[in-house]
Structure formats: C-alpha cells, structure tokens
Amino acid sequence: MTWSAALPLLILASSLVTGLVIFFLKEQSVLLRTVLNLSGAGIKLILVGVLMWGVYQGQTFEARLPLLPDIELVLHADALSLLFVSLSTVLWFVTTVYAIGYLEHSPHRSRFFGFFSLCVTATVGIALAGNLITFLIFYELLTLATYPLLMHRGTADSRRAGRIYLTYTLAGGALLLVGVVWLKSLAGPLDFTATGILAGRTDLNPDTLRWIFLLLIVGFGVKAALVPLHGWLPISMAAPAPVSALLHAVAVVKAGAFGITRVVYDVYGVEFSASLGVLMPLAIVASFTIVYGSVRALFQDKLKPRLAYSTISQVSYIILGTAIVGPVATIGGIVHLVHQGLMKITLFFCAGNLAETLGIHRVSEMNGVGRRLPKTMVAFTVAALGMIGVPPIAGFISKWYLGAGALDANLPWILVILAISSALNAAYFLPILYRAWFMPATGAWQERLEPGRFETHWMLLMPPLVTAALALLFGLFANMDGSPLAWARLIAEREYLR
Amino acid sequence: MTLWWSTLCVAAPLLASVLLFLRPKRTAGIALVAVTLVLIGALGLAVVLHDSGPQFIAIGGWGAPLGIGWRIDGLTVTMLLMAGIVGWPVTIYALDYFGGAAGGRHFWPLWMLLLTALCALFLSNDLFNWYVTLELLGLSAVALVTLSGKQAALDAAQRYLYTGLVGSLFYLLGVALIYNAYGVLDLAVLREVTEPTLAVWVALGLMAVGLLVKSALFPLHFWLPAAHGSAPAPVSAILSALVVKGAFYILLRLWFDLVPAALPGAVSVILGALGAGAIIWGSLQAIRATRLKMLVAYSTVAQLGYLALFFPLSGAGEWGNAALTGVVYFMVAHACAKGAMFLAAGNLQRAAGHDNLVSLAPTAQALPVSMFAFAIAGVSIMGLPPSGGFIAKWSLLSAAIGSGGWIWVVVMIAGGLLSAGYIFRVLSLSFSESGAEPKPELAPVAKSSEWASLLLASIALLLGLNALPVLDLLSIGLPRIG
C-alpha cells in the first residue's frame, strides 16, 4: 500500500484502534486510559498536519476499498474534507482533555471513552469520505456511536433523549439510504467532484432528481436540525457536557450540515441545483430555522437548552450559505462550519464549567458569576459576542460574507433575516453577559468551595480558553494564509471554476 | 479432489455423531474437530471451484438418473461455509454450556447428526435426497429442542414435530407427482424434461407449501417462536441460523431449475406479500415480546420475510442478479448475526437464571462483552453499515428501486426501522443509573461463551467490509437471471 493511500486509513485508525482498546480496559486503569486517549488524539492531530502539508505540496491522498462489485469505500482528501477533518481533529483533542477532567469520578468511563473515540472516527470518516456511499456509511456509524454517549448517565431523561434521538436519526438515515441507492442506480458511482457529478447529465429526469434531492436533504436535515426535523436536539441536552459540546460543534449537527454542503456542491453542483429550482426552498427552510431557533432560544431559562436552540439557528447559516448561488455566500457558509464549531464548543465548555464547579444550570442563577469564574466567563463572552456577530470575532466574518453573498445573488430579503437573527442573538446572549458581569452575586453557589490555584479544574478551564482564543484569532487574522477563510475561498474557487 | 472434500463435509460430522453416541463419556472435543473438518472441506471445495468451475459428482460411480448425484457450485459452497462458520463458535459455546449438564450427552450426537444432514442437503441435487436430508434435519432439530426437558420446551417440540411432518408430507406428495410424471428425480435431468403441465404446477405448489412451512414463512411461522425461544441457547442459535435456511435453499434451487419461466407474476408477488407480512408482523411481535429469547425468535420470523422478497425481485430484469446476491448474502449475514444474538441472549439468561426483559438490566451491565456482541449483531440485523446485513439490504434495495418496485422499498425500510425498535429495547438495558438497584446474584458465565458470541457477531460485521470474495465464490456456476 502506498503512503498516499495509507495516510487517510491511519487517520481513521488512530481513533478507531484507541477506541477498541479502551473498551477492554478496566475501569480503574485511569492513567493508561488517559494516556491512550491523549496519544490517540495527539497522533491524529500530527497525521492530519502531515496530510495538510502533503496536500499543500500538491500530493493527492486517496484510499479505495472495494465493497461490492461497483461500489467502493473511498477516503479522499480534498479542500473541503481537509477543512472539516482539521476542525474535528483539533476540537476532538480539546474535548478529550475536557472530558477527562469532566468525568473524573463518574462510572463507566471505559465505555464512554470507547464510544467517544468511535464517534470521532465516524466524524473523520465523514470528513474524508470521497463518495456519497462512504459518507452514508460513516453517517450511520455516527448515529450508532453517539447513542451510547447520549444514554451514558442512564437517567430517565437521558434514556428518553436517546430514544428520541434514535427515532429521528434512524428514520432520517433510512430516507437517506433510499435516496443514495436511487441516485446510485441512476447515475453510477457517486464520487464527489468539485463542480458536481450530475451537472452535465442531461439523460436524467429532472423530477426524479428533485425527489432524490428532497430525500437526501431530509436525511441530512435531521442531523443538521433543520426545522421541523430538529425535535431531538433540545432534548439531547440530557447528555454530559462534553457530549453536548461534541454533538453541537463537531460531530452530529456538523455532519448533517456538511452532508448538505456535499450534496449541493459536489453531487448536484451548485449551478445545476439552482437550475433544478431546489435551492430557493432550501434557503427558505434555512432562513425559517435561523429565526425560529433564535426566538425559541430567547425563552429558555436553562442555559443548555438556550444554547441548543442557538445551535439550531446557527447551523442553518451554513445551509443558508450553501443555498445561495454565488462564491461569496459559499465562502460565508463554509467558513461558518469552522467558526460556529469553535464558538459553540466554547459556550458548551463554559456551561459545563458552571454546572460542574458551581452547580449553575439556569441563566437566572448566573448573577455575578463573572467574579467567581472570570476566565471561564471571558471565554464565554468572546464566544457569545462572536455568535452575535461582533467584529473582530470569527462570527462576524461569516455573517459579513453571507450578507454580501446575498446581495450578490440579488436576494435582499436574506439581509433582513440576518439582521433579525443578529438582533435576536443579542437579545438572548447579552442578558447573560450582563448578569454575569454587572449584577451582584446572589446565587446559592457562593457557599461552594473557594477557588484553588485555578478557578476550576485546569482540564476544564484550558479547553474553553483555547477555543475562544482560536475564535478570536481566526476573526482577527482572517486574511492570513491558512486561516479558515483562506481555505473557504480556495474551496469556493473550485466550486465555481466553470 | 472434489469428491474427497465434499465427502469430508458429510463424513466428518457423521462419524463424530456415531462416536459421540457410542461413547458419550468421551470428550466432546471430537465435535470441534468435526466442525473444523467441515470448514476445511468447504474451503477446499472453494479452491477447487475457483480453479475449475462447478462440479457434478456421481456417488459410487452411479450417475443420474439411477444413482445419487451431488452438485457443487458457488451457492453450495457458500452455504457449506456458512454452516462451518456458524457451527464453530456454537460448538465452543456448547462445550461450556453443556459441560456438566445432563443434556450434553444427547446434544453432541444430535448436533453432529444435524450438521451431517445439513451438509448433505446443501450438496444434494435431487428431489428425493432432499426429502431424506430434510427429514433428518427436522427430526434432529426437534430432538434438540426437547433437551432442556421443561414442559414448555416439550410442548414446543411436539408442535415443531407435527408441523415439520406435515411440511414433509406436502413436499413428498409433490415429489411423488413429479416422479409419476417423469420417472426421474435428479434436478439436472428434470430441468431438461419438465413442461408447464398441470401436474407439474400442482407438484411444485405442494413442494413449495411444504418448504414454506419448514422455513417458517409468515403465516406458516406459528411453530417457530416457541421452538426457537424455549430451546437451549446453542440449539436456538443452530435452529435460527442454519436449519430454517436448509428448506429455503431447496426452494431457491427449485425456483431456478424447475419453475418454468412461464410462471404467472402473481405467484411471486404473493410470496413477496407473505414476506412483507412476515417482516411487519414478526417485528411487531418482537417489539411486544416480554422475554429476550422470544424477542430474538420473533426477529427470525421477521428476517425470514426478507428472503421471500427475493421472489418478486428476481424477475426484475437486469436487477435480478442484485436480488440474488442480496438474498444469499442475507442468508449468510443473518446466520452469523442471529446465531451471535442467541448465544449472547443465552449468556444473559444463564447469568440471571431467567430472560424477562423487565428485570434484565443489572445482568446486562454485568456482561458487557455479551451485550457488545448483541449490539454488533443488531447492527447487521438492522441492516446498518458496516455489516453483512447492510450489503444484503443494499443489494435488495438496489434491485427494488432499479426495477421500480417501490412497495418492496417501503417494506424494507419499514422493516429496518421496526427492527431498530426491538433491538434498541435490548441495548437500552445497558444504560441505567448505577447504584439504583442492588446487585443481583448472578451465575458465572464462562469467558469462552462470551467471546464465542462476540466472535460470531464480529464475523457478521466483517462480512460488510468487503463482499467481493464471497460474491466471486457465489457467482461460480450460478444461473444468470434476467
């Protein structure tokens, strides 16, 4: 096997093997498990670095495994997959550190970290998938790997969350399967191509293609939490904080959004999709989701559900960017894939810290908490301002490009949607910041332990600080080579080559 | 070489059966050797087939129409391999399960006899031989069900015996009609001479009904859940994974070689409709089941329905081959997955002393390896990737969509979702608040039994990674359809 085929496989194996070994570790072997977790995450980070360097040098990386006579499992590194794979690898490393700190004394840790690693394996598989079938395989694997994480606590709430999550995602997966098989039977191998596989195919019935598009979008839309397919997401807040972080920023919702991006750009081709007339309905659904999620977030007193509804809203920015024809909007959508991930994971880390350290679960309990957990709340503030779209944080860049793209495409009503959404974002985030920084402390948490050397366990504190710093840096230095924005520009250039 | 390898597949378990019957005190390790030899024989045949194509053997030099002829093609060898691959972990499992128990004395010779009958069935190619092997298979299976000696098992076995006999009778009647009309029983000869006359139609109808009873296609499945659910765990695994496949194998052969092309489409649609009924009804019963082994047994009823979907899809022109690939792959994947499920369920039952789903959660948490095996097998049963079940479902779905059979698409998708309903009912046992309930007293379960179930489940998973070797083997000497 050549190096170019081995590298993608090694990237998968670095978490798969780790996960399988961890399953069989004894509960007490904390040190060994921690070493395995961190070295798996670290090795993956290095391998992805090597991959990016190689691609930068003009090498192509591709591994093909035959599955059925005319179906192959393809792992391929193109610009879009690199963006997603590096995002999930970096965030996995951070989340692993966080999860080790978070679950320090809880039971069933071997099971948890085993499935945790499988979950990341599936996400990286989705990122590197070179055709729709490979994508589907890892997409379903992701469903299976996240279920035990959601159920981890075993409480009535988490069992309910697990059940509802499965109902939604398995049904979505089934529709997706029908769509993929159907498209495969019409159009042959479904290898992703930068300008779309179907673009030049005049022999296919456009109505059939519209039906298939619907099936695919509904299949991916479940995980991307497009309204009305979003019902599972707020309920899944019963999971432990690192799982929520992973679910919302890296794995599940991102897999759905990424899938839609792949379908529109690399299967149908964005211009061909537009000519089929399927993008406008998608833009409308995404816009509705953006506003609906924000409005619902406004009325949540519990912190995690508020963040969950915020996710529903924010992820649809990516889909909105995909649904607007034009390179500028494309850049905005794709770059938000990274930006939203960084900001949202920060927010969930911080929410976890509040719950773990002070037992705070509600917004109304957060008065004055900025004095007790200043570093955590600084990270939270950066991420929240970024979500609102305040410059120079990363979220501003996404919104800027989305707005400019909407004008390019002559769709001024989208600007209105963006404005409404930003106002709503401000309306549900600013009160939190106000309470935390400017109101006197009133919560029962004051009786809790005085801070030690750090305000909380260092493994809980470092991750949000790192991700918040990244969100700030990617906004400040958006124009540098190698920034997410630069990658997104590169991707957009390829999608609109013709 | 062909004769040597194929004889090995039948002679090894037969000899082991006799030995274990005469000397019950002797180590049951003989059985393990015999199963290994079956596996080696099947692999040997695969190599021969790969080099020189499908084979016909006249036993003792007497060819058809007088003597017994064996036909060895890709389908035969795939089935033999399936028997060997499932048989191996089941035997390991049974070594501990029947270690000191009284049932073991009877289990070993019967299991070897059953394996003999099954291998002979897969190798045979004439109607009467099939009748003999089918009877032998059915009778040893019935005897195995009674092993636990409990009243429920005895009742189930009795019902199993009578239905089996009725099924055989139907089949034999059909065979007699054919023999009366043509004077031959060898399938290769019959293939040349049969014409679509009334007698042939009636004969085929009778044989089909008999075989459908034996392969438990809805609504003729009524005997299966009780028999499979109350037998000892290794026996349940053998019954669900292998025995029901024997009758279906004959049906598949008849379909290709004897059923005239002029078959009215309605017949295949009716068979498909029965399959759809099985999928829906079996799954719903599994969802409602209160005992773990009954849940798994009803899952078998549902899964056998997918096999029947092959008939309407086989007429789908160029997609017929995808349907055939799908159905054979389904048989193999289901054999591994369902075998693993019954073994895992058996572990839980032995540890807890019961298999009531309501109070099984602490046991499930004490046996993570078995639950993991159940989960992996469940992935294949649900048809989710990566697993053999996914490959099978993909092929069947391709055939259905490619030929515009949307009703079958709906049935398969609904069946997949329903199966998730009952499988996750079991898997959710693994998750409950720790310390909420007192730790129950659990009987010890051997590590080998836990790993045997995981091994078989992993095979079901691995079947999903690369289907090409199996499909290459299967395609040797297989009739192209469409």
Side-chain angles (χ1 to χ4, degrees):
Chain A
M1 186 183 286
T2 58
W3 169 241
S4 67
L7 189 58
L9 292 175
L10 282 175
I11 290 177
L12 272 193
S14 62
S15 52
L16 180 64
V17 175
T18 324
L20 292 180
V21 173
I22 289 175
F23 273 125
F24 296 104
L25 288 187
K26 286 207 168 57
E27 199 56 37
Q28 295 80 20
S29 30
V30 178
L31 184 68
L32 183 57
R33 189 169 48 235
T34 308
V35 168
L36 270 174
N37 264 323
L38 290 179
S39 54
I43 290 171
K44 192 190 282 296
L45 209 54
I46 294 168
L47 288 174
V48 168
V50 173
L51 182 76
M52 291 194 85
W53 178 248
V55 172
Y56 190 72
Q57 301 281 313
Q59 282 175 273
T60 49
F61 291 93
E62 192 171 72
R64 286 178 175 267
L65 269 100
L67 210 61
L68 273 170
D70 50 350
I71 293 173
E72 287 178 310
L73 196 77
V74 182
L75 297 174
H76 178 88
D78 61 17
L80 195 53
S81 47
L82 276 180
L83 191 76
F84 194 35
V85 84
S86 47
L87 172 76
S88 42
T89 308
V90 170
L91 293 189
W92 182 39
F93 187 87
V94 183
T95 314
T96 305
V97 174
Y98 188 84
I100 292 171
Y102 190 88
L103 292 170
E104 207 164 24
H105 299 295
S106 71
H108 302 301
R109 271 169 299 171
S110 283
R111 182 180 79 192
F112 181 88
F113 283 105
F115 283 112
F116 194 71
S117 294
L118 281 191
C119 194
V120 174
T121 310
T123 312
V124 171
I126 286 172
L128 291 175
N131 62 19
L132 204 50
I133 295 149
T134 313
F135 197 110
L136 170 82
I137 289 175
F138 285 109
Y139 190 77
E140 293 287 38
L141 195 63
L142 182 64
T143 304
L144 297 172
T146 32
Y147 168 76
L149 296 179
L150 274 176
M151 297 279 278
H152 182 70
R153 281 187 178 146
T155 58
D157 270 354
S158 56
R159 291 165 68 88
R160 176 161 169 267
R163 206 168 51 241
I164 290 173
Y165 173 72
L166 271 185
T167 314
Y168 273 89
T169 49
L170 287 178
L175 293 180
L176 186 64
L177 176 66
V178 174
V180 174
V181 177
W182 196 357
L183 195 57
K184 166 76 182 57
S185 72
L186 292 177
L190 301 170
D191 286 10
F192 294 137
T193 321
T195 44
I197 313 162
L198 302 174
R201 297 286 294 265
T202 45
D203 54 324
L204 303 173
N205 180 353
D207 277 330
T208 312
L209 289 180
R210 284 187 195 108
W211 277 111
I212 296 175
F213 190 85
L214 181 69
L215 284 170
L216 298 178
I217 296 299
V218 170
F220 288 129
V222 168
K223 281 212 176 94
L226 274 178
V227 175
L229 309 168
H230 66 288
W232 59 273
L233 200 144
I235 298 165
S236 70
M237 284 299 94
V243 177
S244 305
L246 204 67
L247 239 61
H248 284 252
V250 197
V252 179
V253 289
K254 279 301 161 56
F258 189 63
I260 292 177
T261 317
R262 280 291 197 197
V263 167
V264 171
Y265 289 120
D266 296 345
V267 177
Y268 276 72
V270 64
E271 272 132 351
F272 183 64
S273 310
S275 75
L276 283 177
V278 290
L279 287 187
M280 186 49 87
L282 185 61
I284 292 171
V285 171
S287 303
F288 182 76
T289 307
I290 288 173
V291 176
Y292 176 86
S294 300
V295 171
R296 288 297 300 270
L298 208 50
F299 296 101
Q300 307 297 321
D301 182 34
K302 282 192 172 168
L303 187 57
K304 278 179 84 182
R306 185 175 289 201
L307 295 180
Y309 277 106
S310 159
T311 301
I312 293 175
S313 163
Q314 292 282 336
V315 168
S316 273
Y317 278 81
I318 304 169
I319 299 163
L320 184 62
T322 310
I324 303 172
V325 186
V328 182
T330 301
I331 294 171
I334 288 174
V335 81
H336 201 54
L337 201 74
V338 177
H339 291 167
Q340 187 269 351
L342 287 169
M343 297 184 295
K344 189 42 65 72
I345 207 166
T346 310
L347 292 173
F348 271 106
F349 285 154
C350 294
N353 285 359
L354 289 169
E356 269 304 278
T357 317
L358 304 179
I360 293 177
H361 297 281
R362 289 174 181 277
V363 174
S364 50
E365 298 164 349
M366 284 178 70
N367 293 358
V369 79
R371 256 153 286 167
R372 171 63 180 81
L373 294 176
K375 298 193 185 78
T376 302
M377 285 318 292
V378 164
F380 188 95
T381 307
V382 169
L385 292 177
M387 283 289 183
I388 299 168
V390 175
I393 303 161
F396 165 72
I397 308 283
S398 323
K399 282 194 184 174
W400 178 267
Y401 273 88
L402 279 176
L407 285 182
D408 264 8
N410 212 2
L411 298 167
W413 60 271
I414 285 179
L415 274 190
V416 179
I417 298 284
L418 289 176
I420 295 175
S421 166
S422 294
L424 287 169
N425 290 346
Y428 65 78
F429 273 130
L430 289 181
I432 302 181
L433 302 185
Y434 178 76
R435 277 174 189 275
W437 294 115
F438 302 110
M439 301 248 296
T442 51
W445 48 265
Q446 292 177 80
E447 277 93 63
R448 293 259 184 145
L449 287 173
E450 279 302 299
R453 178 144 162 254
F454 297 105
E455 60 194 43
T456 180
H457 193 296
W458 68 271
M459 283 183 132
L460 299 183
L461 183 59
M462 288 305 151
L465 289 180
V466 170
T467 50
L470 283 177
L472 189 60
L473 289 177
F474 285 160
L476 271 175
F477 299 107
N479 261 329
M480 296 249 300
D481 272 356
S483 73
L485 184 65
W487 272 110
R489 282 199 184 122
L490 183 75
I491 294 163
E493 270 170 30
R494 295 189 180 170
E495 303 294 349
Y496 293 92
L497 210 55
R498 280 180 286 178
Chain B
M1 278 313 266
T2 318
L3 182 65
W4 209 89
W5 290 126
S6 49
T7 312
L8 188 63
C9 290
V10 177
L14 185 61
L15 197 65
S17 170
V18 173
L19 276 177
L20 287 163
F21 177 70
L22 292 177
R23 294 279 182 82
K25 294 272 156 92
R26 288 288 287 272
T27 165
I30 293 174
L32 198 60
V33 174
V35 175
T36 314
L37 288 178
V38 169
L39 207 51
I40 292 175
L43 285 173
L45 284 176
V47 173
V48 172
L49 237 56
H50 189 264
D51 294 341
S52 39
Q55 312 274 320
F56 288 87
I57 313 175
I59 303 290
W62 291 87
L66 285 176
I68 297 173
W70 277 358
R71 167 190 189 174
I72 298 147
D73 60 9
L75 182 58
T76 313
V77 177
T78 309
M79 291 292 110
L80 287 174
L81 279 173
M82 173 181 89
I85 287 172
V86 174
W88 212 82
V90 168
T91 305
I92 296 276
Y93 186 92
L95 281 176
D96 178 67
Y97 193 95
F98 290 116
R105 263 185 70 185
H106 306 297
F107 172 79
W108 292 108
L110 283 169
W111 158 221
M112 286 297 109
L113 191 63
L114 187 147
L115 191 60
T116 313
L118 195 67
C119 291
L121 187 152
F122 289 145
L123 287 162
S124 297
N125 199 39
D126 78 88
L127 299 180
F128 189 72
N129 252 351
W130 274 335
Y131 169 71
V132 175
T133 49
L134 212 50
E135 280 292 80
L136 201 56
L137 187 69
L139 292 177
S140 44
V142 168
L144 281 169
V145 172
T146 62
L147 281 184
S148 73
K150 293 191 184 118
Q151 192 57 44
L154 294 178
D155 291 345
Q158 199 174 27
R159 188 135 59 123
Y160 187 18
L161 176 67
Y162 292 148
T163 9
L165 286 177
V166 171
S168 303
L169 211 60
F170 269 87
Y171 179 80
L172 190 61
L173 224 55
V175 175
L177 276 177
I178 295 267
Y179 190 71
N180 188 37
Y182 296 102
V184 277
L185 292 166
D186 187 89
L187 212 58
V189 182
L190 278 172
R191 184 183 183 161
E192 307 299 325
V193 297
T194 42
E195 282 154 4
T197 60
L198 182 66
V200 171
W201 283 122
V202 173
L204 280 176
L206 288 170
M207 285 196 276
V209 170
L211 292 170
L212 289 178
V213 168
K214 284 189 168 277
S215 56
L217 183 63
F218 175 87
L220 304 172
H221 68 280
F222 51 86
W223 56 271
L224 186 145
H228 289 200
S230 60
V235 176
S236 309
I238 294 166
L239 295 182
S240 263
L242 300 176
V243 174
V244 282
K245 310 284 164 56
F248 187 79
Y249 170 83
I250 300 176
L251 203 58
L252 214 53
R253 287 285 191 201
L254 293 181
W255 186 263
F256 283 126
D257 286 350
L258 219 51
V259 173
L263 183 83
V267 175
S268 56
V269 171
I270 290 172
L271 286 173
L274 294 182
I279 293 172
I280 306 296
W281 174 255
S283 303
L284 289 176
Q285 291 299 313
I287 290 175
R288 291 179 45 196
T290 53
R291 284 181 42 213
L292 178 58
K293 283 185 71 186
M294 287 305 268
L295 181 149
V296 184
Y298 269 111
S299 159
T300 300
V301 172
Q303 296 286 307
L304 291 173
Y306 283 93
L307 299 183
L309 292 189
F310 162 73
F311 297 111
L313 296 177
S314 71
E318 54 174 318
W319 295 102
N321 276 308
L324 181 59
T325 309
V327 78
V328 177
Y329 219 79
F330 197 98
M331 286 164 81
V332 178
H334 175 255
C336 297
K338 192 49 65 70
M341 253 185 187
F342 264 122
L343 296 187
N347 285 335
L348 293 182
Q349 187 184 28
R350 281 182 84 192
H354 67 84
D355 67 340
N356 291 323
L357 279 166
V358 201
S359 47
L360 219 48
T363 320
Q365 285 165 32
L367 296 176
V369 176
S370 296
M371 284 307 283
F372 201 51
F374 196 98
I376 296 177
V379 169
S380 183
I381 295 284
M382 289 184 280
L384 292 179
S387 70
F390 174 71
I391 298 280
K393 203 173 195 180
W394 177 281
S395 304
L396 288 173
L397 265 179
S398 295
I401 291 179
S403 62
W406 287 100
I407 178 79
W408 311 121
V409 176
V410 173
V411 168
M412 277 187 260
I413 293 300
L417 293 177
L418 287 173
S419 64
Y422 59 78
I423 283 165
F424 279 103
R425 244 188 98 197
V426 179
L427 297 186
S428 68
L429 293 174
S430 289
F431 305 93
S432 66
E433 274 179 285
S434 46
E437 294 158 57
K439 286 253 183 251
E441 291 281 315
L442 294 181
V445 172
K447 281 268 183 289
S448 64
S449 298
E450 290 221 80
W451 288 98
S453 60
L454 188 60
L455 173 68
L456 197 48
S458 310
I459 294 172
L461 198 72
L462 290 177
L463 279 172
L465 293 187
N466 190 347
L468 291 188
V470 183
L471 297 186
D472 282 346
L473 174 65
L474 183 62
S475 68
I476 300 172
L478 200 70
R480 307 284 299 176
I481 42 182

